Amino acid sequence: MKQKILVAGGTGYIGSHTTVELQNAGFDVLIIDDLSNSNIEVLDGIEHITGIRPDFVQLDLKDKEGTRKVLEQHPGIKGVILFAASKAVGESVQKPLKYYRNNIVTLLNILELMPEFGIEGIVFSSSCTVYGQPDILPVTEDAPIKPAMSPYGNTKQINEEIIKDTIHAGTPIKSVLLRYFNPIGAHPSAEIGELPNGVPQNLIPYLTQTAIGIRKELSVFGDDYNTPDGSCIRDYINVVDLAKAHVTAMNRMLDGKSEENVEIFNLGTGRGVSVLELINTFERATGVKVPHKIVGRREGDIEQVWANPERANKVLGWTAQETLENTLKSAWKWQLHLREKGIQ
Ligand code: UFG
């Protein structure tokens, strides 16, 4: 029989790509999502790719009784992947309580319900934001955790602690904490991708919206950093590669192969790319120009961060595969698909 996985936040950007990869790997998926930052039509996209429509329940996971009822109606779930969270760094500074409530209560509910329903493991969406500006690059999982730069970042640190403390206290579950670097791109079919609400805050959706003419020009936040071309450096990881790491992590936990009850992995390519390099690579890969101008630094930005992904490579047996060129092409194809559909 197929093993069943709960994907909390499964209609979102990374959740939808992970649902596809779980289905491709033979898992049954139940999605719970409140659709606060995603669209029900994502389910059609998933079904077009895999031929399977995942089970779906619209619910706010802060509703513990509601979540319990859903789990009663869907017995036999083996593992959970928790994506459901608020994720806009800037908004979190304006509305900290929204972030603390959404991102912490949801995790508490899931951790309390897991043993009740015999759910064995949780894969948690964490972020390289926990490292702040690392002293040593590329950054390994053993680098010190730096004070968070935003309430959003703080929720990721607190969530990691909550999971560790819960398991340390003897709760019979396992966890894998996945620290993402900068996920970008879309499924190569362009059936699913990133759908930001309003004016995008992240680089790639702003860049593709500029390239297609929705935005006049892309602002490059600073060219006076201590980097080769002066712009910030990040580790941009293809979203399908990232999604596959969740399947590997889940299999590892469910097959009893974890070496520790809580394991932590960086998910990145190991390569740092500057904002200006990224714009050039996009223009080369797609043949489309991106009007851009240099403006002042954005408050709170880290100068440079990229992953040492060796632990994930060796222990998980996972390596980022896709080239940056193809990843940027996939982001562009997705933007064209949105225009065809009249969405953006
Ligand atoms: N940038 C621009 N112009 C834009 C948007 C971004 O120049 O219009 C630059 C930023 O200054 C940064 C880079 O592009 O140097 C990437 O910025 P993003 O906003 O796309 O991503 P961040 O690295 O700031 O943040 C991401 C996630 C967060 C996560 C963080 C961890 O969005 O959720 O990585 O470092 F916490």
Side-chain angles (χ1 to χ4, degrees), residues 2-8 18 22 27-32 61 71 74-83 110-111 113-115 117-124 172-176 246-247 249-255:
K2 283 185 175 181
Q3 288 185 313
K4 212 184 291 179
I5 305 298
L6 167 61
V7 181
T18 300
L22 285 165
F27 287 101
D28 266 338
V29 175
L30 164 65
I31 291 175
I32 300 182
L61 287 146
L71 293 175
H74 295 84
I77 289 171
K78 288 286 190 191
V80 50
I81 307 183
L82 175 52
F83 296 106
I110 288 177
L111 290 175
L113 289 168
M114 284 176 71
F117 289 89
I119 302 175
E120 295 168 22
I122 176 167
V123 175
F124 178 70
I173 59 171
K174 291 194 162 78
S175 183
V176 177
H246 294 73
V247 178
M250 184 57 76
N251 275 326
R252 180 173 168 83
M253 277 192 308
L254 298 184
D255 294 347

Side-chain angles (χ1 to χ4, degrees), residues 87 89 127-129 152 181-182 201-204 206 218-221 232-234 236 275 298 301-302 305:
K87 62 168 189 175
V89 177
S127 165
C128 68
T129 193
Y152 160 78
F181 283 69
N182 286 54
Q201 305 297 312
N202 294 117
L203 179 59
I204 294 303
Y206 205 105
L218 171 70
S219 296
V220 175
F221 298 138
C232 290
I233 294 179
R234 297 287 183 275
Y236 295 95
V275 176
R298 179 171 71 176
D301 262 340
I302 300 294
V305 60

